[in-house]
């Protein structure tokens, strides 16, 4: 066997990644009213220096009320561009690619970030998870597909997004895409997963609208497809979409589709139909996650618990690249996923935070020369040439 698949480059729309070890988007709750800070510079910079082929800015809100917590990233004004560009330029100088996940938190907006909850120091903090208006939040201005709370104990009660609001959000995605281009990002990922705005629309559990955005599969997926097309029209580069392949409600509600052919919840059958439409609308790679839209979801969490979703989509949606994510923590497992053709790239979340030098160690495990990239490589070759 020659080069392990994890170390094979991949090219999408003219952008070439050095390998298939990709960092998953992760909220860091460290922004200054949506702006990237020194934290993000060091966070992404460190990963670029250690051989990760692909980095991704966490869920970045296209409007202020689209943040999950007050400390989340945003890209709703031109002032957000320069701090992002500073990170992007450094990452590029060190051999990695970097994208941004454009997001709107929908009915799960305005919650306290984990470290604020623990400290409980924010004015107005009551011990729950809602970021009240007094605690820098906007709990009274949270929008979902319908006025149905994710969980009244932990989340604000949303109002139904009006048609005017939906138009406003489409414009916000368009403006955000132009800003992402100005910041120099290599690709854009649409956050369509985990119970946030777009997932609120496509899942029948959170969407009881009676207009053109609710009811049928076609209506529920309309907004996600419209936003995809708007971005595609304003962005020449690679376009990714993160989807939740299932609400995991089989054990609670029975099959995804009832005996009359009505969809009860969102599952793999609809995801497969949606994936084909997303591909036709210009999505290059589907980043396959799951869950997050209903607290009753029954997860079988364990190593690689979402891989079967990725594998199904890889087999059934030709022409669409697939990313696998979810408790993938060893180079051997990641290599196996690529080898079995279950996915085209592997994304790592928590493992990156635990072992930031994973790519260098993966190279050792899989028998590849573990040369670091960028500035480290220049220092490295200097040393080799001087001995
Ligand atoms: C996440 N995850 C996540 N997903 C996403 O699409 N956008 C995001 O901003 C975040 N934020 C986030 C923060 C933190 C601290 C964690 C741990 C996770 C989910 C993440 O991308 C990934 O899908 C899961 O963590 C599963 O992969 P791992 O961690 O098991 O490799």
């Amino acid at each position: 066997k020659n080069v392990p698949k994890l170390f094979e480059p991949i090219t999408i729309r003219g952008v070439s990644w050095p390998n298939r070890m990709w960092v998953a988007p992760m909220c860091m709750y460290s922004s200054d009213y949506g702006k990237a800070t020194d934290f993000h510079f060091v966070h992404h910079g460190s990963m670029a220096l250690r051989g990760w082929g692909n980095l991704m800015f966490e869920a970045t809100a296209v409007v202020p009320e689209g943040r999950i917590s007050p400390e989340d990233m945003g890209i709703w004004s031109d002032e957000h561009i320069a701090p992002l560009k500073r990170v992007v330029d450094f990452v590029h100088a060190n051999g990695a690619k970097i994208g941004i996940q454009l997001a709107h938190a929908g009915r799960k907006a305005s919650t306290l970030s984990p470290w604020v909850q623990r400290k409980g120091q924010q004015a107005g903090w009551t011990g729950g998870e809602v970021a009240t208006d007094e605690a820098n939040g906007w709990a009274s201005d949270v929008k979902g597909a319908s006025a149905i709370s994710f969980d009244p104990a932990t989340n604000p009660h949303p109002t139904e997004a009006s048609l005017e609001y939906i138009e406003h959000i489409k414009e916000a995605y368009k403006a955000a895409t132009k800003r992402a281009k100005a910041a120099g990002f290599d690709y854009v990922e649409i956050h369509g997963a985990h119970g946030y705005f777009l997932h609120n629309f496509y899942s029948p559990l959170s969407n009881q609208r009676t207009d053109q955005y609710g009811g049928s599969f076609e209506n529920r997926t309309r907004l996600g497809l419209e936003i995809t097309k708007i971005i595609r029209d304003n962005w020449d580069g690679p376009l990714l979409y993160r989807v939740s392949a299932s609400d995991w409600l089989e054990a609670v509600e029975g099959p995804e589709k009832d005996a009359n052919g009505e969809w009860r919840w969102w599952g793999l059958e609809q995801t497969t139909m949606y994936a084909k439409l997303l591909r036709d609308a210009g999505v290059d790679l589907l980043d396959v996650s799951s869950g997050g839209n209903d607290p009753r979801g029954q997860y079988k969490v364990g190593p690689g618990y979402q891989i079967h979703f990725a594998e199904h989509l890889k087999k059934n949606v030709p022409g669409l690249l697939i990313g696998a994510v979810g408790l993938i923590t060893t180079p051997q497992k990641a290599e196996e996923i690529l080898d079995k053709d279950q996915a085209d790239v592997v994304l790592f979340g928590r493992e990156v935070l635990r072992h930031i030098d994973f790519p260098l160690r993966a190279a050792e495990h899989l028998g590849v020369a573990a040369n670091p990239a960028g500035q480290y490589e220049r220092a490295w070759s200097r040393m080799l040439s001087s001995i």
Side-chain angles (χ1 to χ4, degrees):
K1 189 171 158 179
N2 306 326
V3 179
K5 292 231 162 74
L6 262 185
F7 288 86
E8 270 179 16
I10 181 167
T11 301
I12 308 174
R13 287 189 199 260
V15 175
S16 292
W17 282 261
N19 60 50
R20 290 155 194 247
M21 280 171 287
W22 289 23
V23 179
M26 282 182 282
C27 291
M28 289 289 125
Y29 312 104
S30 302
S31 311
D32 172 16
Y33 196 53
K35 288 201 211 65
T37 63
D38 281 355
F39 175 86
H40 298 94
F41 185 76
V42 176
H43 175 65
H44 293 287
S46 311
M47 297 186 288
L49 291 177
R50 286 163 182 83
W52 292 97
N54 174 70
L55 313 179
M56 195 181 319
F57 253 98
E58 62 197 75
T60 300
V62 298
V63 287
E65 73 277 14
R67 289 168 295 164
I68 306 164
S69 82
E71 291 77 21
D72 281 348
M73 286 292 302
I75 189 163
W76 61 79
S77 87
D78 289 349
E79 281 176 29
H80 292 94
I81 298 170
L84 288 169
K85 187 167 188 304
R86 180 172 170 244
V87 179
V88 170
D89 289 347
F90 182 84
V91 167
H92 284 163
N94 285 282
K97 301 293 182 207
I98 183 164
I100 185 165
Q101 191 185 46
L102 298 182
H104 186 306
R107 66 175 180 164
K108 285 170 83 177
S110 194
T111 55
L112 293 176
S113 60
W115 50 268
V116 173
Q117 284 179 41
R118 262 204 309 281
K119 284 187 189 162
Q121 288 170 349
Q122 200 101 5
W125 188 77
T126 57
E129 294 196 348
V130 174
T132 61
D133 293 10
E134 299 75 39
N136 273 338
W138 53 97
S140 58
D141 184 29
V142 167
K143 304 278 200 310
S146 295
I148 310 166
S149 176
F150 171 73
D151 182 346
T154 54
N155 290 78
H157 195 79
T159 49
E160 179 175 304
S162 65
L163 290 176
E164 293 73 33
Y165 187 76
I166 289 172
E167 289 308 310
H168 169 62
I169 292 309
K170 289 191 217 164
E171 282 302 312
Y173 270 96
K174 183 171 166 183
T177 303
K178 291 182 175 170
R179 292 185 190 114
K181 198 177 210 167
F185 282 106
D186 297 295
Y187 68 95
V188 165
E189 174 166 292
I190 302 169
H191 196 349
H194 303 164
Y196 300 118
F197 202 53
L198 298 181
H199 192 171
N200 295 169
F201 276 81
Y202 65 65
S203 172
L205 295 171
S206 43
N207 185 343
Q208 295 179 354
R209 300 177 72 97
T210 53
D211 61 10
Q212 67 269 39
Y213 290 101
S216 66
F217 168 84
E218 187 191 0
N219 284 355
R220 282 181 281 112
T221 55
R222 186 183 305 280
L223 182 60
L225 289 165
E226 284 177 346
I227 287 173
T228 300
K229 285 176 192 151
I230 288 169
I231 296 179
R232 186 74 282 170
D233 285 347
N234 289 277
W235 177 262
D236 298 332
L239 179 57
L240 282 57
Y241 188 104
R242 179 167 267 208
V243 72
S244 275
S246 178
D247 287 329
W248 292 101
L249 276 201
E250 180 106 37
V252 182
E253 298 257 347
E256 179 181 353
K257 197 191 252 179
D258 72 16
N260 303 321
E262 296 288 324
W263 301 104
R264 291 189 173 106
W265 46 277
W266 180 263
L268 192 54
E269 199 176 333
Q270 287 168 95
T271 304
T272 309
M273 292 156 59
Y274 190 32
K276 289 177 184 160
L277 298 173
L278 289 168
R279 174 199 61 195
D280 296 346
V283 168
D284 301 300
L285 186 146
L286 195 70
D287 175 3
V288 183
S289 189
S290 70
N293 197 39
D294 192 307
R296 298 170 302 158
Q298 305 269 325
Y299 285 68
K300 299 169 221 137
V301 174
Y305 63 102
Q306 294 170 157
I307 294 172
H308 62 289
F309 294 135
E311 182 174 22
H312 177 90
L313 292 159
K314 176 102 181 100
K315 292 216 163 70
N316 290 284
V317 191
L320 184 64
L321 296 164
I322 298 292
V325 66
L327 281 178
I328 302 162
T329 56
T330 67
Q332 291 83 354
K333 182 69 190 170
E335 180 67 10
E336 183 193 310
I337 290 168
L338 299 177
D339 221 27
K340 286 189 180 165
D341 220 17
Q342 294 170 310
D344 298 284
V345 301
V346 179
L347 291 101
F348 301 81
R350 289 159 288 186
E351 185 60 18
V352 182
L353 307 181
R354 280 191 212 101
H355 300 120
I356 193 169
D357 62 345
F358 181 96
L360 300 177
R361 292 189 308 113
E364 287 169 10
H365 281 298
L366 299 173
V368 180
N371 287 357
Q375 194 77 352
Y376 280 178
E377 204 221 342
R378 290 191 276 274
W380 178 296
S381 50
R382 167 69 203 264
M383 190 195 76
L384 289 179
S385 63
S386 63
I387 52 174

